[in-house]
Each structure stands twice: as structure tokens, then as C-alpha cells.
Amino acid sequence: MRLGVLDVGSNTVHLLVVDAHRGAPPVPQSSTKSVLRLMRYLGPSGEISEEGVDAVLTAVRDAAVHAEAAGIDELLPFATSALREAPNGEEVLDLVESETGVRLQVLSGDDEARITFLAVRRWYGWSAGEVLLLDIGGGSLELAAGGEEEPDVAVSVPLGAGRSTIGYLHDDPPTAKQMNELREHATAVLKKAVKAFSGTPDPEHVVGSSKTIRSLARLAGSVADGVGAQDRRLLTLDQLEDWVPRLAKMPAEARPALPGITQDRTFQIVAGGIVLAEAMRAFGVRELEVSPWALREGLILRYLDRLA
């Protein structure tokens, strides 16, 4: 089957087209992305402004045109935290459907964590044993742990890179005071979240996923031999804490000159790095491995499983 996964996230609207069938990895055919940064369009109560609604409509409409041109058999459209939490989110979803014909499925935070965990489990296989997953989106941080395809614990907390930037890093570059306030906030939120994992076995494999973590790993991390042709990309807490202060001294417009830092992540990469460092510290993690698969791949795998 040719499948299209339309991801309306807090930072981007991303259409991934793959050829897939059960029992084999999905093979990417094309990828189309619009930078949205939906957090910019949230009002005092979290509602999406008229300008933000127009931006969502334009991005989804363009993605639907690309999906039709790609000749997909099925479109899997979904939305995450920004639309999930907005007081006018349901109205926006109805408007998107009436204007574009695309009905977005809104995933809960726990669903995001569980589906991403499925993708990571399939990528690394059963030999990875007990896995701890950290996934940083634009609006939320997903955490999951377990030894099977369904995690024993799956938690979502409001520590996404975009949300944290808008909430705490008001200057460009951010001030030391702003960064310390974000660290303190992340520490407090994670202290509560970690309690949910107190009864789980120690992880044998710690995995980070999402574009933010991949970007940080490409900038600051290292590589090791993988099982197949691809290298394994690793990121240590020491490497992260070495690079985040350097990134923070640079204006956002200068960061894309560095390896791994793209235009769509440059404004929120510092907040993402701070949140990831605090998450690793909260779980006592010194090193994680970076998964190339995340939520979109998990949705594809779950869809194929349900077809079977």
C-alpha cells in the first residue's frame, strides 16, 4: 500500500508518503513539510488565533494536494498537543474538515507515547530488552517504558520545545535567568512524572526520538557501528550540557550554520536541549541512543497491524 501520514504538530505540518506492507519496514517515497510554529498563535487562554487557524488551513490544504498527487491508498491524518489543548480546537478541526476534506484524528498525550514506543520497539527489536523512551515534540514531552510492544507506563507532560521556548525563553538569545527558570520548571514537572516509573525495571536501552533530539545528536553526539548498514547515533548528557550553553549564546538566525540545526528547529533547539538534559538527569541517564523512527512510523505500523 502507499500510505500518507499527515502530522499536524505544534511546530510543523509534515506529510510523509511511504510504501508499506505488513512484515516489512515502511519505505519513504516523499516528504513535504510546512513550518507552522503553532505556539506563536495561541491566545491568553490557549485558543488558536484567526491567523493561526488560517496557517493550519493553508498547510493542511497544501498537504492534501501533495497526498493526492502521490497516489496514496490511505491518508492517516492526526494532530497533537496544540490542537488537543486549545479551547477552540474542536472548532478548528471542524473547519479543517469542511475546508479541506481532511478530518484530523487528535491523539492524546498517552497515545503519542504508546505509538512512538511501538515504533522504537520495532526498530530496535526484542534484543533491546527493557526500553525507556524520551520523545520531545513541540508541545509535549512523551515518556514510556517497558519490555514489550505495549509500554508498561506511558506519560505525556507539557515540556515540548516550542511550548518551553514561548513560556520561558523570551529573548533571542535567551538570558541565563530565563534558562535557569526553564530548568527549574522542567525539574519540578519531571519530578512528578518520574514517580509513575518507580515500579518499572531498570532500562537496558534508553532511546530518544523526535526531530529535536535527532538534531541535538547530530550536532553534539557521536556515532557507533550499527547492526546493519546504518551507524548508531549516541548522545551523552555531558555532550548535551557542553553544547546547549554554546547554542544559547548564538542568535536563532545563526544556528542553522551548525550541523543538524535546521531552520524549522532553530528557535526552539535551546529549550529542547534544556528539557532533554533535565529529563536525562531525572531518570539517571548518562547516554541515549537516537531512533530514526518515531510517531509517524508508529502510526503506520499500528495501521498495518489492524489491517491484519
Side-chain angles (χ1 to χ4, degrees), residues 154-155 177-179 190 196 206 251 276 301:
V155 175
K177 182 174 183 290
Q178 291 166 359
M179 293 171 65
L190 285 162
V206 181
L276 179 58
L301 295 169

Side-chain angles (χ1 to χ4, degrees), residues 53-69:
V53 173
D54 289 341
V56 172
L57 284 172
T58 299
V60 173
R61 189 180 292 115
D62 290 347
V65 170
H66 284 289
E68 185 175 0

Side-chain angles (χ1 to χ4, degrees), residues 18-289:
V18 302
D19 285 339
H21 64 271
R22 182 165 166 75
V27 179
Q29 298 301 317
S30 65
S31 177
T32 307
K33 185 186 297 184
S34 303
V35 178
L36 189 61
R37 292 209 295 275
L38 198 52
M39 291 292 169
R40 297 177 299 171
Y41 301 114
L42 298 185
S45 300
E47 74 279 3
I48 301 171
S49 69
E50 187 174 330
E51 186 182 4
V53 173
D54 289 341
V56 172
L57 284 172
T58 299
V60 173
R61 189 180 292 115
D62 290 347
V65 170
H66 284 289
E68 185 175 0
I72 64 170
D73 298 300
E74 190 74 35
L75 180 66
L76 310 178
F78 71 95
T80 53
S81 62
L83 276 167
R84 179 172 69 233
E85 297 167 10
N88 61 338
E90 196 63 36
E91 298 170 28
V92 176
L93 293 171
D94 291 341
L95 184 60
V96 167
E97 184 176 20
S98 65
E99 294 285 331
T100 70
V102 175
R103 183 65 189 184
L104 296 168
Q105 175 193 4
V106 180
L107 299 177
S108 71
D110 289 356
D111 280 343
E112 285 188 57
R114 292 179 184 281
I115 297 168
T116 304
F117 189 89
L118 170 64
V120 167
R121 168 61 71 194
R122 292 279 177 92
W123 179 263
Y124 288 101
W126 296 112
S127 63
E130 295 286 336
V131 171
L132 171 65
L133 167 70
L134 312 177
D135 181 280
I136 300 177
S140 56
L141 163 68
E142 274 65 58
L143 307 165
E148 302 181 359
E149 290 195 340
E150 179 72 13
D152 297 325
V153 182
V155 175
S156 178
V157 293
L159 285 176
R163 183 194 300 270
S164 298
T165 301
I166 296 295
Y168 289 88
L169 307 187
H170 306 297
D171 293 329
D172 179 27
T175 65
K177 182 174 183 290
Q178 291 166 359
M179 293 171 65
N180 285 333
E181 287 175 349
L182 175 55
R183 286 190 187 96
E184 291 172 3
H185 171 68
T187 298
V189 171
L190 285 162
K191 185 176 182 180
K192 296 179 182 178
V194 167
K195 291 179 181 177
F197 295 79
S198 60
T200 60
D202 291 338
E204 298 165 84
H205 209 68
V206 181
V207 177
S209 64
S210 76
K211 180 63 181 295
T212 293
I213 294 179
R214 290 199 301 271
S215 295
L216 289 165
R218 188 176 168 205
L219 171 69
S222 57
V223 295
D225 290 339
V227 175
Q230 288 187 320
D231 289 335
R232 297 163 55 226
R233 194 168 289 277
L234 308 172
L235 180 62
T236 68
L237 182 58
D238 288 343
Q239 289 169 328
L240 192 57
E241 293 188 323
D242 176 50
W243 263 102
V244 168
R246 288 192 264 173
L247 282 171
K249 291 178 181 177
M250 303 172 64
E253 64 181 13
R255 294 172 194 150
L258 297 170
I261 310 301
T262 55
Q263 288 286 353
D264 61 317
R265 290 294 184 280
T266 185
F267 288 97
Q268 61 186 50
I269 196 67
V270 173
I274 291 172
V275 168
L276 179 58
E278 294 311 312
M280 292 175 72
R281 188 175 289 107
F283 281 97
V285 173
R286 302 304 304 181
E287 179 181 79
L288 58 77
E289 187 165 345

